[in-house]
Amino acid sequence: MDDIQDATQAATIAALKAERDQLLTLLKALPDISFVFDEDGLYVKVIGGANESMYVSGQSLVGHYLHDALPAPLADQCLEMVRTAIESGELQTVEYCLRTADVALLPDDARTGARGTTEQWFEGRVLPLPTYDHSNRVALWVAVNITPRKQLEHYWQEVAHTDPLTGQANRQRLFARAQQEVERAHRHQHPLSLLEIDFDYFKRLNDQYGHAAGDEALRRITQACEGILRESDLMARTGGEEFAILLPETDHDGALDLSRRLLDIVREVRLPDFAPEIRLTISIGSATLLTGESFDGLMRRADEALYEAKANGRDRVCSDR
């Protein structure tokens, strides 16, 4: 009876090893790169990566540990995934971003230049290899390069949050970013300001010179304004001729100073192909976040200041105080 059990067990192990060997052979021919990690994070084997346009050979990693090769936060995450796969016996998946330059043990020529510094996105698929011939338990990590998919997702996300006429953010993107900035401003007790902008006599321009002139005016004015904004600022189209500019780390005086510069730069904008004699102007309402205030409250006060600027003759800025 014991002989039968032993034979059955040996046959099962042999079958598992044969299946493993077939899997590893198949992986060698695939374009994606795969790694065999042990439970301590040791690179036991590097397999595949035949698509040289998307992968750099990882043979130099064999015999080293995850924390020798990768930035500590990513190494910690990868090691946790490997151990979870081994303990649970189930497939684990994770998406992560990595530059070739961040992998310390790769050759210097692979880590420099545009290829080395370009962000790449991967989906890691991790499953245990219970019959692998190694002193510790191991898992197989298949790294699928999903950068093209991520780039496409980013493109459509940008399209969904961008005003097609001016290329500025739309109302949806403004509100999403504003909630984050309001929370951050309250948490760190940092200033945050908002400008509400309305183009003066825009309907008159459309009626007299046509909608093409109005569209061109919108594009030229927003481009002029964007040219003096910081990278951290966000300009968004909130209505037909209405825009808002979110100004992180900007207090009342800073918002007023920027508003005056915006007024000056817009006065210099011309429409030579439609109405060369027209002088464009804007009106601005400025408000700075109060303690405990919501973005709705901030926007309401900026709107009130804008209404005051328009009532007082346009081509000016009024603030919330």
Side-chain angles (χ1 to χ4, degrees), residues 54 96-102 113-122 145-148 150-151 154:
M54 302 185 78
Y96 57 99
C97 183
L98 184 64
R99 302 180 308 163
T100 304
D102 295 329
R115 184 179 184 185
T117 57
T118 300
E119 286 189 344
Q120 300 283 325
W121 279 91
F122 299 90
N145 194 312
I146 58 172
T147 303
K150 283 291 185 178
Q151 291 172 336
H154 177 73

Side-chain angles (χ1 to χ4, degrees), residues 195 228 252-268 282 284 286 315-319 321:
L195 305 182
I228 63 172
H252 173 267
D253 292 341
L256 281 182
D257 179 66
L258 175 63
S259 296
R260 296 186 185 103
R261 293 168 60 203
L262 292 172
L263 291 172
D264 289 339
I265 200 169
V266 169
R267 293 179 187 126
E268 298 175 3
I282 58 175
I284 303 176
S286 172
D315 188 24
R316 68 192 63 223
V317 56
C318 288
S319 73
R321 61 180 179 179

Side-chain angles (χ1 to χ4, degrees), residues 10-30:
T12 301
I13 293 174
L16 288 172
K17 287 184 176 180
E19 185 177 342
R20 178 208 66 191
D21 292 341
Q22 290 174 355
L23 173 62
L24 296 180
T25 299
L26 177 62
L27 289 172
K28 290 179 182 179
L30 293 179

Side-chain angles (χ1 to χ4, degrees), residues 67 70-78:
H67 284 83
L70 304 180
L74 180 57
D76 290 340
Q77 182 184 23
C78 292

